[in-house]
Amino acid sequence: MNLPRTNSLKQLHSEIITCARCPRLRAYCAEVGQTRVRRYRDQEYWARPVPGFGDPEARLLILGLAPGAHGANRTGRMFTGDDSGRWLYGALYEAGFANQPESVSRDDSLRLTGAYISNVVRCAPPDNKPAAAELAACRPYLEAELALLTRVRVVLALGRIAFDSYVRIRRAQGYDLGRPAFKHGAEYHWPGLPVLLCSYHPSRQNTNTGVLTPAMWRDVFVRARALVDGLD
Ligand code: SF4
């Protein structure tokens, strides 16, 4: 699949929003937007692919998995309107990357400074499980973002799938990465590339079970801040 021919994030976002490469995911997002859940039944769901969000001059790129069916698929902004977003934006605020800890809707005045958020697939998948072909179909958008976000010094991969997608892109670009393995807290310093920092994803599956604790999560962002500021 070719890279999108874009020279700005704005253009890229326009292309992403109208993408229809994955019929299964497009159908699922539309269906979720039609049926909704009781607590959001009066809201109109975004129900389209969700573009990246943040500062074009970002030095920290956060890479998640996919929009939540009733989170970003509802609100139209990355990690906005669900529990994962509460964890993420709370931590970004604490680390000085966000002007507020809450993220509830696209017009809630949230701004990021020095950080940008993306996902390895832009449409909510059933059971949060994108197929390999869907990951491959969406990968060129991440490649395009990586090319456009020229100031990134740290990539924070949230979960193994985000980690694998990023590694796959860099390998395809010809970088010799050795044999990196995903592990919470691991970091990789490869010549010519941003530092890759790994964390468990702040999904309820991890935060409700203690796999990812508030202290572990806070440490990730303390480390990300130090790396971004060149204090490592
Ligand atoms: S997941 Fe990505 S490639 Fe697939 S339809 Fe959505 S935006 Fe397009």
Side-chain angles (χ1 to χ4, degrees), residues 30-65:
E31 183 203 324
V32 169
Q34 285 294 316
T35 54
R36 308 174 193 180
V37 285
R38 182 187 291 258
R39 65 188 182 281
Y40 301 131
R41 69 176 166 216
D42 295 332
Q43 294 189 18
E44 187 168 340
Y45 277 46
W46 172 260
R48 285 178 276 167
V50 181
F53 169 63
D55 183 353
E57 302 295 310
R59 288 180 295 162
L60 171 64
L61 169 63
I62 295 147
L63 200 48
L65 171 59

Side-chain angles (χ1 to χ4, degrees), residues 8 41 50 66 80 82 100 118 124 141 187 194 210 224-225:
S8 76
R41 69 176 166 216
V50 181
T80 295
D82 60 14
Q100 61 187 46
S118 190
Y141 293 130
E187 54 185 77
R225 173 47 88 184

